[in-house]
Amino acid sequence: MPTKLYNEPSPLETRVLSKRFGLENSHTLDVYLANDGFKAFLKAHEMTPAQIIDEVKASALRGRGGAGFPTGMKWSFVPRTSPKPKYIVINADESEPGTCKDRLLMEYDPYQMIEGILIAALAMDSHKGYLYIRGEYRYLLDHMDRVIAEAYSRGYLGKNIAGTGFEFDLVAHSGAGAYECGEETALLDSLEGKRGIPRMKPPFPAVAGAWASPTLLNNVETFSSIPVIIRDGGPAFAALGTPKNGGTRLVCISGHVNKPGVYELPLGFPMLKAIYEVAGGIPGGKKLKAVVPGGSSCPLLRADECDIPMDYDTLAKVGSMLGSGGMVVLDETTDMVKFALRIMRFYAHESCGWCIPCREGTTWLKKILQRFDDGGGRHDDVALLGELSKNMLGRTFCALGDAAAMPTISIVDKFAADFEKRLTVLV
Amino acid sequence: MAETVKLTINGSPIEAEKGALLIEVARANGIEIPAFCYYEGLSLQAACRMCLVEVEKTPKLQVGCTLPVAEGMVVHTESDVVKSARKGTLEFLLTNHPLDCPVCDKGGECELQDMVFRYGAGESRFVERKQHVDEQQWSPVVFFDAPRCILCYRCVRVCNEGLGVNALGIANRGVIAEIVPNHHDHLECDECGACIDICPVGALTSGIYRYQTRPWEMNHVGTICTHCADGCRTTLGVRNEKIIRGNNRDSSGINGEFLCIKGRYGFDFTEHPERLQSPLLKVGDGFEPVSWSKALEVVAKKFAAVKAAGGSFGVIGSSHTTNEESFFLQKFARQALGTKNIDHHRSGDLTTFVDALTDRANVLATVTDLYTAKAVLVVASDLSQQHPLLANQVRANVRHHGAHVYAVTSGPVREDKQSIASVRVEKGGELAGVEGLREKLAAEGELVILFGDAIQGESLRKLVAFGDSLGIPVKYVCLVDYSNSRGAFDMGLIPREGGMSREQMLASSDLDVLWVVGANPLKSTSLAAKNAFVVVQDLFMTETAKRADVIFPAASAYEKSGTVTNVCGEVQKLKAAIKVMGAKADLEIFGLIAKEMGPDVVKTVGIWSPEKVFEEIRKTVHGYDVSVPVIATGGAAPTMPLNGRVAALPGTVASAGDTLFTSGTLSRYSKILNSVMEAPGELYGGKGSAS
Amino acid sequence: MLASYPEGRKRSAVVPMLIYAQDETGAVTPELIDEVAKRCEVAPLQVDEVVGYYSMLHRKPQGKYHVQVCTNISCMLVGGTELYEHAKNKLGIGHKQVTSDGQFSLEEVECMGACSWAPAVEINYDFHHHVTPEKLDQLIEAVRKR
């Protein structure tokens, strides 16, 4: 396993989760133990489950997978005293376009994630966990198998973890190529050996998840944030960010920037600063046109809307989302028609097909956009794109329909000029 | 009393049970919320999004089919935003749905058509290319047209949850998702056609019905299926005196929408080319068609002569003829011909059954009881093969009410998947198997026991004794084979008071007359009396008919009226769906023979109209004083023939061992039942049946 | 693998078993489906349903080296589409096709999680970042030489 990082770190980062990245053999247990490893677990073992959950609540940590749901609150939904076995499922499906951070956490600091999982297990009274890794990340599946084997052999998984008597088993489970399996209930169906079709909520996974048992499901980065929260206290983590948006997160900056990469930035970090100082600005001095703030499911922001701090609440206030942390930068040369088309091609390909609006809507929108891109666009199509997207929004079985509709609506609204330019038939 | 809540729908105040589904509450109050995937009795899907409605104080539209009602909820089902959402969803659906209406079987009864008429989106803005795949044939019965499919998943659910067959699945992802059969490109299943009937559009169509007619061109006649003893109503679609289809989508009858392949498709025997069309007289080695008057003359003369000479008659009746016919025949035999040698193919030991339960109340289970009872025990029967409706009732009972099912059988049965305990026994070991379940059964609040022909005579009495010893209310079903096997017994087609049984008649070398109505005893046994005069009434030239001296062409159950009694003792009315040329109803044939024999005979046997005969049945047959209005309006009236001891009868009791695809003689002449024989249903989970 | 799932839940192994088996057999054949169904104690139909749902499971064999080029948004912005066209020309095949010698197959894929190091290519399970047309040529040649 190369320890060489995929991109140079930035001096502007606040490296909390990624602080061990770049250390020789950072992925091994010894390096982890030598760098505050498992201190949090031992501390958590002396805490009550309610205290653990309160600490997580105090950290203002919010789900790092995309939905941004307050993690402490999610943990409190699992009925600890249920007679059924309680499972922990780690969402390592990472398929949101623009997102490439969970990879790094597993590659360079897997034990941090494992420690987070174990702390959650203490709080849930759970003794079995499944790490759902997307099929394309096979090298990471093999890597995690090795890490898990090392953990077992050294007493950090299995029975009597770190001498505390606590028992927990962790298994890595492979996906096989499906974006929808990143949706928590679809992931559970996939884990159960079925097609990844989302489930009705309620019941929520906390109550009836994997095999109808109480299940805690969180993203890799969310679990990875737990050790530092327990070790240094929830408020300390919260203070790194902004009120109600605690801590730091790994932001994946890509697209038209000089220094694309994954950078750990505190919640509330200014977006323009991230683009121009952390990621080195736009090549060739070109002008900024748009930004995808947190993965392709988010409404896009025009250049003039980007002078904002990056946290969940601010992004929500400006009509977008912080999402998965996948920030894609678009310069003035970007053809928004092609961009919208590519996004819709993705969602049409990944739609699970369960419900009418998403299944038919994404394909229809794709076909309109394809026709537009091929030069057959009509004047009415622009309004039609917006209207059909709105017919999907809020009407689908799961959020994929919203994820397809929202960026499309934003592109049609904010970049209508790009469409006008491509019109051939003026109706 | 369940807790109720008060809510408002479209301005109307409504009271409903707390937690009931909004769509059901609305429908119960006359407010229609459209839905494709929601289907009563099947699991919720929330997939089609047609039922989205507006609920005040919630930001998004809510899913009506999964939303439990709550106190103070204010719902709008016809607001502008809801209407536009429905139209939008329909528009999405129509993008890939082909414009097949002109050639699609479903036209005229298509739910998608209905929805588009009501909610708009008839004019589409879609100008792109539609997804297309070719049509497939999955079995002789089932055709699948993927582009028409709206993916409501009703078919998958009815096959999996409803029938327990699990022959349909969903494959692929996104817009190319489609329903797939269990064997890659074809189905191996019960061929019941439930998937076809439940499909709201024309994606699943029937191989028998395709392209034949439009629904509004047919008259729909609800009658009782002529095959097994369960007594399902099948609504036959008739056009120009031809039965074109059968289904039960109006849910009339004790079977709701359930029908098996025999009930849905097993009507084509009525127009088999070998159907007897005229009376036949034996001439030399062959037969010659003769007039009715000639044939009746020959028979009447012979009957009268044999009676006058004190000769012996043997009468073998049918498990398919109506109660009126069975009653009239045994009356004719006993009173006009003076013989007690009357029998039919007995497939269940009703004699011992009625005797063992004599004078008791509430011990006969109805078809509805099987759906509501807390516990059901199946002994020595493969219900899914031989009594598909009963099996379906039990399955639904487990699914909806969590009922407990137990099975004591010689092989695997479909009930195993849901059973609390399944015991495999050798023939003869059934009671021991049942005894082994004593503790579990006694802990049930109540029990229904169904048993097959392996339980008869002494073992039947022992089973009743077992039931008594449990200390809980027990009801029974004595399983018999055919559509009126039970009625044949109740009407007295049995060798009471010393008459000869079927076997004895066939073995008697000095039998003078053998009168066989709707039965084929000579298929497996030979007639000892070489000189016996044989009169046969049947639909086809069976083995028995071949031996006949005179053959009368008979009408099938779909061509006459009367009543039949199902395996649970419920009486239902037949309604003639088609008129038939040449053949006559058996009752009419009896009457004509009587008339030919003279006014004295006519006076003895009475008028041969089904209504008059039924009146007499009501007055004279134990337990048959049922409500005429119930039966006349298509209901099922339970009978209670349990008053008085019944003496044991000679002769054997044995089931014919039919399966889903066989039904005695009738199935031999049904093209569709024979075309699916490549995967014949087999008893006890044999390799042919879907498992 | 079957033992890592709870009692009576062998079905969970279906997806991983299919993809691991596919690595060895090359494609998900009807025989493989029956075998997986048997081992996971489910009906073949239940395995069949799953195959078409997951993008990485193929019913037809791919090449010995399956070249997956991402053209999703982050890669597209830095030349992913052009890279894919280049790959088509270089290999002489299109989407989900196999070269006549069975060495290579090509697929235009969705985001594989290498957005910040785009353009990204995966060959079988090996990730390659910052792939230019020249680098792709080198990768292909290196494989051809093996």
Side-chain angles (χ1 to χ4, degrees):
Chain A
M1 280 306 304
T3 318
K4 178 180 179 322
L5 299 174
Y6 295 123
N7 60 270
E8 285 298 309
S10 161
L12 293 166
E13 287 184 72
T14 307
R15 297 185 58 189
V16 174
L17 300 180
S18 57
K19 80 171 186 203
R20 298 177 200 87
F21 286 17
L23 291 179
E24 188 79 23
N25 293 323
S26 62
H27 61 286
T28 59
L29 180 59
D30 289 323
V31 173
Y32 189 66
L33 287 170
N35 286 275
D36 294 328
F38 283 95
K39 284 193 184 144
F41 172 74
L42 292 169
K43 186 174 174 187
H45 189 260
E46 302 308 310
M47 294 160 76
T48 66
Q51 286 171 327
I52 297 174
I53 294 176
D54 281 342
E55 203 69 57
V56 177
K57 281 185 176 165
S59 73
L61 173 67
R62 293 164 69 153
R64 298 287 193 240
F69 191 83
T71 309
M73 201 189 298
K74 195 174 195 181
W75 285 27
S76 69
F77 292 154
V78 178
R80 189 175 189 285
T81 51
S82 164
K84 289 191 182 160
K86 289 154 285 283
Y87 296 105
I88 297 198
V89 176
I90 304 93
N91 189 342
D93 191 59
E94 184 158 80
S95 306
E96 179 79 17
T99 319
C100 49
K101 58 178 174 76
D102 296 334
R103 245 182 99 175
L104 302 184
L105 287 165
M106 285 189 281
E107 195 167 335
Y108 299 128
D109 208 348
Y111 278 103
Q112 183 174 234
M113 176 185 72
I114 291 178
E115 189 177 5
I117 295 166
L118 290 172
I119 293 169
L122 285 170
M124 303 296 132
D125 189 29
S126 162
H127 303 281
K128 190 65 186 254
Y130 291 92
L131 174 62
Y132 186 100
I133 303 185
R134 65 178 297 188
E136 294 85 344
Y137 281 3
R138 170 64 64 81
Y139 81 99
L140 283 172
L141 185 85
D142 295 340
H143 164 71
M144 286 310 302
D145 277 346
R146 287 190 294 270
V147 168
I148 290 172
E150 180 189 43
Y152 269 97
S153 71
R154 298 277 300 273
Y156 284 87
L157 275 175
K159 296 196 191 338
N160 196 20
I161 293 175
T164 61
F166 186 68
E167 190 176 331
F168 190 82
D169 285 312
L170 183 62
V171 171
H173 174 102
S174 176
Y179 165 74
E180 176 65 16
C181 290
E183 201 278 343
E184 61 178 10
T185 59
L187 191 156
L188 291 171
D189 256 24
S190 181
L191 179 64
E192 291 184 16
K194 308 174 193 164
R195 300 160 76 236
I197 306 292
R199 302 174 179 175
M200 285 193 285
K201 295 193 275 206
F204 288 85
V207 171
W211 306 291
S213 303
T215 305
L216 176 69
L217 207 152
N218 270 130
N219 175 264
V220 167
E221 189 181 356
T222 312
F223 281 116
S224 299
S225 307
I226 300 297
V228 69
I229 289 172
I230 298 297
R231 218 174 43 237
D232 301 341
F237 185 79
L240 293 171
T242 57
K244 293 217 209 124
N245 296 263
T248 58
R249 77 172 306 179
L250 298 180
V251 181
C252 320
I253 310 184
S254 65
H256 295 148
V257 287
N258 283 311
K259 294 196 273 182
V262 177
Y263 304 101
E264 187 171 354
L265 304 171
L267 272 280
F269 195 91
M271 187 182 281
L272 291 177
K273 190 169 174 183
I275 296 172
Y276 288 105
E277 294 184 41
V278 176
I282 301 177
K286 297 237 172 23
K287 280 210 302 262
L288 178 66
K289 183 167 183 174
V291 169
V292 177
S296 65
S297 304
C298 308
L300 276 71
L301 297 174
R302 270 193 323 261
D304 61 307
E305 294 173 308
C306 294
D307 193 2
I308 49 169
M310 294 193 292
D311 68 22
Y312 295 98
D313 292 332
T314 313
L315 263 301
K317 247 204 308 260
V318 300
S320 184
M321 297 159 51
L322 191 62
S324 63
M327 190 164 87
V328 186
V329 178
L330 284 64
D331 76 14
E332 57 187 291
T333 66
T334 313
D335 179 342
M336 297 312 285
V337 175
K338 273 194 165 42
F339 200 74
L341 169 61
R342 190 58 186 84
I343 289 181
M344 196 50 72
R345 275 180 63 202
F346 171 69
Y347 289 108
H349 185 246
E350 298 296 336
S351 167
C352 77
W354 183 248
C355 74
I356 293 175
C358 173
R359 181 179 75 235
E360 309 291 346
T362 52
T363 301
W364 188 0
L365 284 163
K366 178 187 86 172
K367 288 181 177 168
I368 297 174
L369 285 162
Q370 185 69 66
R371 178 166 52 79
F372 219 101
D373 190 47
D374 289 341
R378 308 170 310 169
H379 187 263
D380 286 353
D381 288 333
V382 184
L384 185 61
L385 286 168
E387 210 186 306
L388 294 178
S389 302
K390 292 200 184 99
N391 277 349
M392 275 203 312
L393 193 61
R395 310 242 183 104
T396 53
F397 191 82
C398 83
L400 196 149
D402 300 330
M406 289 193 296
T408 311
I409 292 171
S410 72
I411 293 175
V412 165
D413 282 348
K414 299 178 184 179
F415 300 98
D418 281 44
F419 287 87
E420 305 285 323
K421 233 188 313 188
R422 304 273 242 107
L423 282 174
T424 53
V425 181
L426 290 168
V427 168
Chain B
M1 273 299 285
E3 199 185 322
T4 60
V5 293
K6 290 195 175 61
L7 63 148
T8 314
I9 305 182
N10 298 343
S12 306
I14 289 178
E15 200 168 325
E17 198 179 311
K18 182 177 179 187
L21 298 173
L22 177 60
I23 194 172
E24 288 173 359
V25 170
R27 284 181 177 180
N29 285 279
I31 299 168
E32 184 65 27
I33 294 181
F36 286 119
C37 66
Y38 166 78
Y39 203 82
E40 214 182 306
L42 298 177
S43 61
L44 300 174
Q45 309 276 271
C48 71
R49 317 312 279 181
M50 280 301 291
C51 65
L52 293 177
V53 292
E54 200 181 334
V55 177
E56 283 185 18
K57 302 214 188 91
T58 56
K60 291 194 329 186
L61 293 177
Q62 298 297 305
V63 177
C65 69
T66 58
L67 184 66
V69 293
E71 182 71 32
M73 204 179 247
V74 181
V75 182
H76 301 283
T77 70
E78 299 294 332
S79 61
D80 285 340
V81 68
V82 172
K83 283 198 183 136
S84 124
R86 283 185 192 142
K87 191 170 173 189
T89 304
L90 281 172
E91 190 183 22
F92 277 139
L93 194 50
L94 290 170
T95 59
N96 286 313
H97 193 84
L99 289 174
D100 279 358
C101 294
V103 297
C104 173
D105 288 337
K106 207 74 175 190
E109 27 180 45
C110 171
E111 290 181 47
L112 181 58
Q113 276 183 338
D114 291 344
M115 295 254 203
V116 173
F117 270 121
R118 254 182 265 161
Y119 304 116
E123 264 193 59
S124 178
R125 298 178 282 186
F126 184 81
V127 297
E128 325 299 330
R129 191 159 276 233
K130 289 183 190 268
Q131 302 288 133
H132 176 78
V133 282
D134 287 336
E135 190 182 43
Q136 306 161 52
Q137 180 175 6
W138 285 345
S139 80
V141 169
V142 184
F143 278 74
F144 179 63
D145 195 318
R148 293 183 193 164
C149 175
I150 61 170
L151 288 169
C152 67
Y153 314 116
R154 285 188 196 171
C155 56
V156 177
R157 281 176 286 157
V158 82
C159 188
N160 295 359
E161 303 160 27
L163 271 293
V165 172
N166 298 295
L168 293 172
I170 312 164
N172 298 337
R173 191 173 77 196
V175 78
I176 55 169
E178 59 175 8
I179 309 297
V180 288
N182 59 348
H183 283 258
H184 302 296
D185 60 352
H186 69 278
L187 277 171
E188 285 182 20
C189 64
D190 285 357
E191 310 285 352
C192 67
C195 55
I196 294 171
D197 278 354
I198 210 174
C199 179
V201 296
L204 284 164
T205 49
S206 145
I208 299 126
Y209 175 68
R210 326 185 77 214
Y211 302 140
Q212 297 230 22
T213 184
R214 284 301 190 186
W216 58 84
E217 291 176 350
M218 292 186 285
N219 275 332
H220 287 95
V221 181
T223 188
I224 305 301
C225 171
T226 186
H227 294 285
C228 86
D230 291 353
C232 296
R233 161 150 289 121
T234 175
T235 303
L236 301 173
V238 180
R239 191 183 73 164
N240 294 340
E241 298 304 324
K242 186 178 143 88
I243 302 175
I244 304 195
R245 73 169 178 192
N247 59 35
N248 211 41
R249 274 141 94 236
D250 59 3
S251 287
S252 54
I254 51 180
N255 47 318
E257 289 184 316
F258 175 84
L259 280 173
C260 73
I261 183 176
K262 289 188 261 188
R264 269 201 185 83
Y265 304 119
F267 54 76
D268 59 341
F269 67 85
T270 56
E271 44 177 50
H272 196 278
E274 285 173 45
R275 192 74 197 271
L276 297 174
Q277 306 258 1
S278 88
L280 297 167
L281 203 58
K282 181 66 123 323
V283 173
D285 276 337
F287 288 94
E288 247 181 47
V290 292
S291 66
W292 277 92
S293 53
K294 175 71 180 168
L296 289 165
E297 189 192 329
V298 170
V299 171
K301 270 213 180 89
K302 186 68 180 183
F303 280 9
V306 170
K307 169 132 190 251
S312 72
F313 288 91
V315 177
I316 298 182
S318 170
S319 321
H320 283 299
T321 48
T322 63
N323 287 327
E324 291 79 357
E325 286 162 350
S326 298
F327 181 80
F328 199 91
L329 178 62
Q330 60 88 36
K331 190 177 176 192
F332 197 128
R334 289 184 214 284
Q335 297 182 21
L337 300 179
T339 179
K340 294 196 182 109
N341 303 332
I342 304 157
D343 200 0
H344 69 284
H345 166 209
R346 284 173 272 142
S347 47
D349 192 359
L350 288 166
T351 317
T352 313
F353 184 62
V354 168
D355 189 56
L357 295 176
T358 196
D359 286 333
R360 297 192 200 199
N362 293 324
V363 286
L364 299 181
T366 62
V367 167
T368 311
D369 285 337
L370 292 174
Y371 178 64
T372 54
K374 295 205 181 71
V376 175
L377 167 64
V378 180
V379 183
S381 174
D382 190 345
L383 282 187
S384 314
Q385 289 295 323
Q386 304 191 292
H387 294 277
L389 171 62
L390 305 188
N392 197 60
Q393 295 289 90
V394 173
R395 207 164 28 240
N397 194 1
V398 174
R399 204 168 84 245
H400 292 160
H401 308 138
H404 289 175
V405 167
Y406 301 87
V408 175
T409 54
S410 60
V413 289
R414 205 172 288 171
E415 285 72 29
D416 294 344
K417 281 201 200 116
Q418 293 179 315
S419 68
I420 302 288
S422 282
V423 182
R424 297 287 96 88
V425 296
E426 301 279 319
K427 194 160 166 66
E430 294 87 3
L431 286 175
V434 169
E435 182 63 42
L437 295 173
R438 175 181 285 279
E439 211 181 299
K440 288 195 170 73
L441 294 173
E444 301 288 354
E446 56 183 14
L447 183 63
V448 172
I449 305 182
L450 305 101
F451 56 89
D453 68 331
I455 305 292
Q456 55 176 278
E458 205 42 46
S459 55
L460 203 159
R461 290 189 198 280
K462 285 202 181 118
L463 183 64
V464 172
F466 174 84
D468 288 341
S469 72
L470 290 177
I472 56 172
V474 180
K475 287 187 179 177
Y476 299 88
V477 180
C478 176
L479 296 171
V480 291
D481 283 350
Y482 294 115
S483 59
N484 206 19
S485 294
R486 178 62 181 264
F489 174 85
D490 290 341
M491 296 302 116
L493 276 181
I494 46 176
R496 286 199 293 250
E497 299 156 2
M500 279 199 284
S501 71
R502 213 168 80 247
E503 289 87 347
Q504 289 168 329
M505 290 184 228
L506 294 173
S508 162
S509 48
D510 49 4
L511 194 69
D512 293 306
V513 170
L514 179 65
W515 189 6
V516 181
V517 177
N520 193 13
L522 299 184
K523 178 163 183 240
S524 45
T525 324
S526 52
L527 179 60
K530 295 283 172 264
N531 296 324
F533 182 80
V534 179
V535 181
V536 170
Q537 294 175 219
D538 212 319
L539 280 69
F540 298 101
M541 182 65 75
T542 61
E543 287 81 352
T544 307
K546 287 204 180 95
R547 166 65 186 82
D549 292 287
V550 181
I551 306 175
F552 290 108
S556 76
Y558 296 146
E559 298 150 353
K560 60 188 175 185
S561 52
T563 60
V564 289
T565 309
N566 77 359
V567 64
C568 293
E570 296 168 283
V571 179
Q572 297 181 97
K573 196 166 134 90
L574 295 179
K575 197 163 171 205
I578 50 178
K579 295 201 246 305
V580 62
M581 299 263 281
K584 289 187 194 296
D586 288 297
L587 185 61
E588 194 183 349
I589 300 174
F590 302 154
L592 290 171
I593 296 175
K595 181 158 164 240
E596 191 69 25
M597 286 177 75
D600 288 331
V601 176
V602 172
K603 199 149 169 238
T604 312
V605 297
I607 305 294
W608 50 89
S609 92
E611 292 76 27
K612 286 266 177 345
V613 178
F614 191 64
E615 267 313 300
E616 201 181 334
I617 292 172
R618 284 187 69 242
K619 289 198 189 93
T620 61
V621 177
H622 283 259
Y624 269 71
D625 53 345
V626 293
S627 157
V628 171
V630 167
I631 297 180
T633 53
T639 56
M640 289 293 153
L642 298 177
N643 13 29
R645 300 300 302 268
V646 180
L649 299 174
T652 59
V653 168
S655 163
D658 279 304
T659 68
L660 273 179
F661 305 135
T662 63
S663 174
T665 303
L666 296 178
S667 61
R668 289 158 71 183
Y669 294 91
S670 163
K671 285 206 188 84
I672 190 63
L673 288 175
N674 287 307
S675 73
V676 295
M677 291 284 243
E678 84 276 3
E682 277 190 38
L683 293 179
Y684 296 112
K687 59 176 172 3
S689 67
S691 54
Chain C
M1 188 208 297
L2 293 166
S4 16
Y5 302 103
E7 185 70 40
R9 306 290 189 179
K10 292 194 177 133
R11 188 175 184 178
S12 291
V14 168
V15 173
M17 201 183 277
L18 279 171
I19 198 169
Y20 297 152
Q22 184 184 257
D23 291 339
E24 289 176 38
T25 65
V28 178
T29 57
E31 295 77 36
L32 176 59
I33 288 175
D34 286 340
E35 183 61 31
V36 170
K38 210 167 17 156
R39 292 196 199 185
C40 297
E41 294 173 10
V42 292
L45 176 64
Q46 291 171 304
V47 178
D48 210 23
E49 283 181 305
V50 154
V51 176
Y53 176 88
Y54 293 96
S55 307
M56 294 177 78
L57 297 175
H58 310 285
R59 292 192 200 265
K60 294 203 192 85
Q62 303 298 293
K64 191 151 172 259
Y65 296 95
H66 186 50
V67 178
Q68 301 143 79
V69 181
C70 174
T71 59
N72 209 313
I73 50 176
S74 301
C75 292
M76 179 180 115
L77 289 172
V78 292
T81 320
E82 292 75 17
L83 182 67
Y84 175 63
E85 292 302 313
H86 180 88
K88 276 160 76 172
N89 288 329
K90 175 80 180 168
L91 294 170
I93 50 176
H95 178 65
K96 288 209 182 161
Q97 292 179 336
V98 187
T99 54
S100 44
D101 61 358
Q103 273 283 81
F104 292 98
S105 51
L106 180 63
E107 190 177 350
E108 183 187 3
V109 294
E110 302 295 346
C111 178
M112 62 177 78
C115 320
S116 295
W117 316 292
V121 169
E122 217 180 328
I123 301 184
N124 292 346
Y125 292 109
D126 297 328
F127 273 79
H128 301 279
H129 301 140
H130 305 119
V131 180
T132 58
E134 295 74 36
K135 186 165 171 193
L136 183 62
D137 286 349
Q138 284 166 6
L139 286 168
I140 292 172
E141 291 310 315
V143 163
R144 281 202 176 128
K145 287 208 187 77
R146 283 191 218 170

